[in-house]
Amino acid sequence: MPSDNRSGVLLDVDGTLVDTTYLHTVSWWEALRQADHLVPMTHIHRSIGMGSDKLLDHLLGPERDRDGDGRLRDAHDSLYAEYWQRLAPLPGAVELLRACAARGLRVVLATSAAEHEATALRKVIDADDVIDTVTSAADAQESKPAPDILVAALEQSGLRADRVVFVGDSVWDVAAAGKLDIPCIGLTCGGTGRAELAGAGAVAVYDDPAALLAGLGESAIADLR
């Protein structure tokens, strides 16, 4: 339950703060290829942001034999882990978190990454001193576009839905926020276009965290008190 009247910013991590979207795309493409599923990368990219269960349903169909899903997830995880030492924050990501904290806002990383991946992403961001709360896949029964991970982020941080803004990079982020009536700022640095994010319901769209930081004073985040 919310514990006080403070406001906060919830932020997706993959593709929003850390430059991972295309690495996930390539890792899923190779994992699927190894299992003789030839899926175009453009289709995979548009699914990034969903949990692996919904992603595989989206790409392979809900009526498929799911016996191989665990092997597909394991293959993706192994392939993606090869990039961990080379991951980098997107431009302005760390500075954006610090600027939000300086405004007195709680900074919450609302990621549905597995716990070990979330730990690796936090090391890349290297801003634990201003991060209030971090979620992981274990905190959500259902993945995006279901709002479960945002519900968990609110509960763990003691924030109310009417006192937060969510920042994400995919239409699945915007959809999840919309189910809780949370304003969502879209970033195109995950590879989804401005028009598509706006069309999904994003209240504003910026190129990347640096662009949002530059316009922070006129953004939906500035309206938080």
Side-chain angles (χ1 to χ4, degrees), residues 38-114:
L38 301 180
V39 181
M41 284 194 191
T42 183
H43 295 172
I44 298 170
H45 173 262
R46 294 176 64 82
S47 304
I48 300 300
M50 293 180 172
S52 60
D53 53 342
K54 292 185 178 178
L55 179 145
L56 291 173
D57 279 350
H58 190 69
L59 294 175
L60 302 179
E63 304 304 322
R64 72 187 186 287
D65 182 354
R66 289 182 167 82
D67 288 347
D69 284 10
R71 289 188 296 276
L72 287 171
R73 284 192 288 268
D74 289 345
H76 162 270
D77 291 352
S78 296
L79 291 159
Y80 175 61
E82 295 178 6
Y83 296 109
W84 282 7
Q85 298 303 314
R86 289 171 282 169
L87 295 181
L90 284 154
V94 177
E95 294 82 359
L96 176 62
L97 300 187
R98 295 193 179 283
C100 290
R103 287 173 171 263
L105 303 172
R106 286 184 178 165
V107 175
V108 180
L109 304 188
T111 176
S112 54

Side-chain angles (χ1 to χ4, degrees), residues 105-126:
L105 303 172
R106 286 184 178 165
V107 175
V108 180
L109 304 188
T111 176
S112 54
E115 189 170 356
H116 61 285
E117 289 184 11
T119 298
L121 293 168
R122 287 178 70 170
K123 289 180 179 178
V124 173
I125 297 168
D126 193 22

Side-chain angles (χ1 to χ4, degrees), residues 82-204:
E82 295 178 6
Y83 296 109
W84 282 7
Q85 298 303 314
R86 289 171 282 169
L87 295 181
L90 284 154
V94 177
E95 294 82 359
L96 176 62
L97 300 187
R98 295 193 179 283
C100 290
R103 287 173 171 263
L105 303 172
R106 286 184 178 165
V107 175
V108 180
L109 304 188
T111 176
S112 54
E115 189 170 356
H116 61 285
E117 289 184 11
T119 298
L121 293 168
R122 287 178 70 170
K123 289 180 179 178
V124 173
I125 297 168
D126 193 22
D128 278 357
D129 56 309
V130 297
I131 295 171
D132 181 88
T133 305
V134 182
T135 65
S136 70
D139 298 310
Q141 185 171 5
E142 208 177 333
S143 62
K144 289 180 288 188
D148 297 28
I149 202 67
L150 299 183
V151 172
L154 293 172
E155 290 177 347
Q156 292 180 25
S157 61
L159 293 168
R160 300 200 321 245
D162 63 345
R163 299 188 70 88
V164 301
V165 169
F166 183 43
V167 182
D169 69 290
S170 73
V171 295
W172 317 115
D173 293 325
V174 181
K179 290 172 182 175
L180 300 178
D181 291 325
I182 295 174
C184 184
I185 294 173
L187 303 182
T188 63
C189 48
T192 299
R194 181 175 298 270
E196 192 167 4
L197 290 168
V203 297

